[in-house]
Amino acid sequence: MELKNQEDQYLSSVKNALRILKSFTMDEPEKKVSDISTSLGLNKSTVSRTMATLASEGFVHKDPETKKYSLGLSLLSLSSIVNSNTDVYRESYPVLNRLVENLGETAHISVIDKLEVIYLQKVECNHPVRFLTHVGRRNPPHCTSSGKVLLAYADEELVNAVLEQGLEKYTKNTITDPIKLLANLKEIKKNGYSTSFEELNEGVNSIAAPVYDYRGKVIAALSVVGPKQRIQSHKVQGFAKKIIAAAKEVSDRMGYRG
Amino acid sequence: MELKNQEDQYLSSVKNALRILKSFTMDEPEKKVSDISTSLGLNKSTVSRTMATLASEGFVHKDPETKKYSLGLSLLSLSSIVNSNTDVYRESYPVLNRLVENLGETAHISVIDKLEVIYLQKVECNHPVRFLTHVGRRNPPHCTSSGKVLLAYADEELVNAVLEQGLEKYTKNTITDPIKLLANLKEIKKNGYSTSFEELNEGVNSIAAPVYDYRGKVIAALSVVGPKQRIQSHKVQGFAKKIIAAAKEVSDRMGYRG
DNA sequence: ATACTTGTTGCATATAGAGCAACACGAGCG
DNA sequence: CGCTCGTGTTGCTCTATATGCAACAAGTAT
């Protein structure tokens, strides 16, 4: 008998519901039944009934006036549980706090999930903020300091998968040549930290260092982000030293011995 | 024909999946298939297949070593979208920042959802923190300053529903007598702010004020929380004045004219 | 006023999903 | 070390569910 199709073993109506949830984005946080039906290729009665079920458990909320759906507070509740169980989340918090006070810039902890960088933890500086990042946000790995440091220490197959999905150009500084990216990753591993100079957003620079677990595996990145006026090229060495030290401290608290 | 059972119109396999997700708690962030099967009354093969489907979309994660499931990062991503669409979340942020700098204590924005208080926004002070609250956390409304201020301005039917679900005692200061709570709510409405003196957690005090939307409806609470050594009874008037002013400012930014 | 779009819901039908049983694997115990 | 028990997976069967169609209601646009 032929090998079973992987998709055949999943519950299709549950899949529908999850795909509907994931269709909401920052750019489109409110959606109509008909829009979802069109974009996901599902019958409008299917979408309507699935939405009613999601709403009954608080996963979406229907605006009674506009009839549009948005994501519901049950997701917020569950997300607060996601992190509570993550060692790096808890152990990094005091370290990020001190780093932010020390450097005066916003700091994050992030990991790679499904070929993207996702921010688990954020401690903000006192400067007026522009919501460039936030916990839960996903970003491409090839043009963020977090992403590049995680790729530098990652398995070759993860790196290859990222290269295969393409290196999208976000600014004039984005590295889109695979050969140049691989060279950059090698340099990052040598330096022990990575940088991104306006590679994802104009005017925004960041520096990141690897966080190790007790087995010596790189499991997260600790990064600092700010405007290029405050994170200038000539300051990078001093910032990097402190960021590496902070990442080392988080690693130590994770049971790393190196 | 008899009136249709409300539950009959929901998709049962989607309901199962959502109930499984909601079964995870802070106290039990990791669960086994058999535990979920027992606690939710579902067949273990049903739970197993539902979990596999949830995992395929990143809503849960299976630890390959322990075989235990925990909530996945897709929930974190989606939760970051939940708030981006909330006016009070965006408008309150700079106000909370200034208040925290001014008072030196942690501040929140919260709302009532399904008879519970849920924290939408949190700005932390520089004191060592104990993770008493976090965004997404739910708390009972009858013994938190946020909850009490929201109840004070709420419809009678919401207040009655809260009374009907019972007033659980958390500390020796928790108000468990409905008559006393209603009297307290009346006083809160008169004063324009509420307090909680160790009513939910020992040693923790908080003060909250109502946030209005453009129609003059109370849609959120702005609160400040800290240890009783720093938020003492004799300081409440001074703190309350600043908290009311901050809540007023958020209300103004929401289009409130009052 | 009419036409169109959207969302809901009754109904029919096909199949998906639930549950059973068997199996594989690992843990615990004697 | 062998046996027992618990856990999780998966093949299979059967029925109840979920999907889609069509009709309808309501709102919007012309």
Side-chain angles (χ1 to χ4, degrees), chain B residues 198-226:
Chain B
E198 296 189 82
E199 292 171 42
L200 177 63
N201 294 296
E202 301 282 345
V204 178
N205 289 348
S206 65
I207 306 167
V211 175
Y212 298 85
D213 69 3
Y214 69 100
R215 288 172 291 197
K217 187 170 183 280
V218 172
I219 51 138
L222 186 155
S223 61
V224 167
V225 62

Side-chain angles (χ1 to χ4, degrees), chain A residues 118-190:
Chain A
I118 182 170
Y119 298 97
L120 300 188
Q121 174 74 278
K122 177 182 185 183
V123 176
E124 294 191 10
C125 63
N126 288 332
H127 292 291
V129 293
R130 288 169 53 203
F131 290 102
L132 285 171
T133 64
H134 35 72
V135 171
R137 167 87 175 202
R138 291 176 180 267
N139 267 337
H142 66 288
C143 45
T144 54
S145 61
S146 309
K148 289 195 293 180
V149 80
L150 290 167
L151 289 179
Y153 292 86
D155 293 337
E156 197 169 329
E157 71 189 73
L158 175 61
V159 176
N160 287 337
V162 166
L163 294 181
E164 270 158 34
Q165 75 172 359
L167 305 178
E168 189 176 336
K169 189 180 180 73
Y170 293 91
T171 70
K172 67 188 193 307
N173 288 358
T174 310
I175 300 172
T176 54
D177 179 2
I179 296 175
K180 285 184 176 174
L181 182 65
L182 288 172
N184 190 211
L185 297 185
K186 192 163 288 185
E187 189 189 4
I188 287 165
K189 203 166 184 182
K190 188 167 68 85

Side-chain angles (χ1 to χ4, degrees), chain B:
Chain B
M1 128 218 183
E2 68 184 70
L3 286 175
K4 192 163 52 176
N5 187 337
Q6 188 79 0
E7 286 298 314
D8 283 352
Q9 64 183 14
Y10 298 134
L11 308 185
S12 59
S13 44
V14 175
K15 268 285 208 191
N16 287 345
L18 301 180
R19 284 174 65 223
I20 287 173
L21 286 175
K22 292 176 92 178
S23 71
F24 287 86
T25 60
M26 279 298 189
D27 299 325
E28 207 174 6
E30 284 184 314
K31 309 192 86 161
K32 297 191 300 180
V33 165
S34 55
D35 288 335
I36 295 172
S37 170
T38 302
S39 64
L40 296 190
L42 296 170
N43 194 281
K44 61 182 179 171
S45 49
T46 300
V47 176
S48 180
R49 289 193 169 101
T50 306
M51 279 299 201
T53 308
L54 289 167
S56 74
E57 296 289 340
F59 282 76
V60 297
H61 170 77
K62 184 179 184 184
D63 187 309
E65 291 173 9
T66 64
K67 303 289 185 91
K68 282 188 168 184
Y69 284 91
S70 49
L71 294 175
L73 295 177
S74 289
L75 290 163
L76 212 64
S77 301
L78 292 178
S79 75
S80 69
I81 300 165
V82 173
N83 269 335
S84 73
N85 192 39
T86 313
D87 288 339
V88 71
Y89 177 83
R90 288 195 305 270
E91 300 301 340
S92 62
Y93 193 77
V95 179
L96 290 190
N97 255 333
R98 272 186 269 112
L99 187 67
V100 169
E101 282 193 61
N102 193 327
L103 298 186
E105 303 297 346
T106 295
H108 303 91
I109 289 287
S110 39
V111 298
I112 283 199
D113 177 63
K114 293 193 173 53
L115 307 190
E116 293 175 302
V117 167
I118 181 169
Y119 298 96
L120 299 187
Q121 173 76 278
K122 176 182 184 184
V123 177
E124 293 189 11
C125 63
N126 288 333
H127 293 291
V129 293
R130 289 169 54 204
F131 290 103
L132 285 172
T133 64
H134 34 72
V135 171
R137 166 87 177 204
R138 291 177 181 266
N139 269 339
H142 66 287
C143 47
T144 54
S145 61
S146 309
K148 289 196 291 181
V149 82
L150 290 167
L151 290 179
Y153 293 87
D155 292 337
E156 197 168 330
E157 70 188 75
L158 174 63
V159 178
N160 286 337
V162 166
L163 294 181
E164 269 158 36
Q165 78 172 358
L167 305 178
E168 189 176 336
K169 188 180 181 71
Y170 292 91
T171 70
K172 65 189 193 304
N173 288 359
T174 309
I175 301 174
T176 53
D177 179 2
I179 297 176
K180 285 185 177 175
L181 182 64
L182 288 173
N184 190 213
L185 297 186
K186 191 161 288 184
E187 187 190 7
I188 287 164
K189 201 164 183 179
K190 187 167 68 82
N191 292 339
Y193 70 92
S194 70
T195 59
S196 171
F197 292 114
E198 296 189 82
E199 292 171 42
L200 177 63
N201 294 296
E202 301 282 345
V204 178
N205 289 348
S206 65
I207 306 167
V211 175
Y212 298 85
D213 69 3
Y214 69 100
R215 288 172 291 197
K217 187 170 183 280
V218 172
I219 51 138
L222 186 155
S223 61
V224 167
V225 62
K228 65 179 182 179
Q229 294 85 359
R230 296 204 301 267
I231 302 186
Q232 293 167 347
S233 295
H234 68 272
K235 281 189 171 180
V236 162
Q237 291 290 344
F239 273 43
K241 182 166 288 186
K242 291 174 172 172
I243 292 164
I244 292 172
K248 176 70 164 71
E249 188 182 342
V250 177
S251 304
D252 290 344
R253 297 165 77 111
M254 300 288 291
Y256 174 67
R257 289 182 190 78

Side-chain angles (χ1 to χ4, degrees), chain A residues 4 10-11 18 23 35 41 75 86 89 94 109-110 113 134 145 156 158 160 173 197-198 210 229 243 249 252:
Chain A
K4 192 164 51 179
Y10 298 134
L11 309 184
L18 302 180
S23 72
D35 288 335
L75 289 163
T86 314
Y89 178 84
I109 289 288
S110 40
D113 178 63
H134 35 72
S145 61
E156 197 169 329
L158 175 61
N160 287 337
N173 288 358
F197 293 112
E198 298 189 82
Q229 293 85 359
I243 292 164
E249 188 181 345
D252 289 343

Side-chain angles (χ1 to χ4, degrees), chain A:
Chain A
M1 131 221 185
E2 70 184 68
L3 285 174
K4 192 164 51 179
N5 187 339
Q6 188 78 0
E7 287 297 314
D8 284 349
Q9 64 183 15
Y10 298 134
L11 309 184
S12 58
S13 44
V14 174
K15 269 285 209 186
N16 286 347
L18 302 180
R19 285 173 65 223
I20 287 173
L21 286 175
K22 292 175 90 178
S23 72
F24 288 86
T25 61
M26 279 299 191
D27 299 326
E28 205 175 6
E30 282 184 315
K31 310 191 84 161
K32 298 191 299 179
V33 165
S34 56
D35 288 335
I36 295 171
S37 169
T38 303
S39 64
L40 297 189
L42 295 171
N43 194 281
K44 60 183 181 173
S45 51
T46 300
V47 176
S48 180
R49 290 191 171 102
T50 306
M51 279 300 201
T53 307
L54 289 167
S56 75
E57 296 290 339
F59 281 77
V60 296
H61 170 76
K62 184 179 184 182
D63 186 309
E65 291 171 10
T66 64
K67 303 294 185 90
K68 283 189 172 186
Y69 284 91
S70 50
L71 293 174
L73 296 177
S74 289
L75 289 163
L76 212 63
S77 301
L78 292 178
S79 75
S80 69
I81 299 166
V82 173
N83 269 337
S84 72
N85 190 41
T86 314
D87 288 338
V88 72
Y89 178 84
R90 289 194 303 272
E91 300 301 339
S92 63
Y93 195 76
V95 179
L96 290 189
N97 257 331
R98 271 186 269 112
L99 186 67
V100 169
E101 284 191 61
N102 192 326
L103 299 186
E105 302 298 345
T106 294
H108 302 90
I109 289 288
S110 40
V111 298
I112 282 198
D113 178 63
K114 289 193 179 50
L115 307 190
E116 294 175 302
V117 166
I118 182 170
Y119 298 97
L120 300 188
Q121 174 74 278
K122 177 182 185 183
V123 176
E124 294 191 10
C125 63
N126 288 332
H127 292 291
V129 293
R130 288 169 53 203
F131 290 102
L132 285 171
T133 64
H134 35 72
V135 171
R137 167 87 175 202
R138 291 176 180 267
N139 267 337
H142 66 288
C143 45
T144 54
S145 61
S146 309
K148 289 195 293 180
V149 80
L150 290 167
L151 289 179
Y153 292 86
D155 293 337
E156 197 169 329
E157 71 189 73
L158 175 61
V159 176
N160 287 337
V162 166
L163 294 181
E164 270 158 34
Q165 75 172 359
L167 305 178
E168 189 176 336
K169 189 180 180 73
Y170 293 91
T171 70
K172 67 188 193 307
N173 288 358
T174 310
I175 300 172
T176 54
D177 179 2
I179 296 175
K180 285 184 176 174
L181 182 65
L182 288 172
N184 190 211
L185 297 185
K186 192 163 288 185
E187 189 189 4
I188 287 165
K189 203 166 184 182
K190 188 167 68 85
N191 294 338
Y193 71 93
S194 70
T195 58
S196 171
F197 293 112
E198 298 189 82
E199 293 172 42
L200 177 63
N201 296 296
E202 301 281 345
V204 178
N205 288 348
S206 65
I207 305 168
V211 174
Y212 297 84
D213 69 2
Y214 70 100
R215 284 171 294 195
K217 188 169 184 281
V218 172
I219 50 137
L222 185 156
S223 60
V224 166
V225 62
K228 65 180 184 177
Q229 293 85 359
R230 297 203 301 266
I231 302 187
Q232 294 166 348
S233 295
H234 67 272
K235 281 189 173 179
V236 162
Q237 291 291 342
F239 274 42
K241 183 166 286 186
K242 292 174 173 172
I243 292 164
I244 292 172
K248 177 73 165 68
E249 188 181 345
V250 176
S251 303
D252 289 343
R253 297 165 77 110
M254 299 290 290
Y256 174 66
R257 288 183 191 76

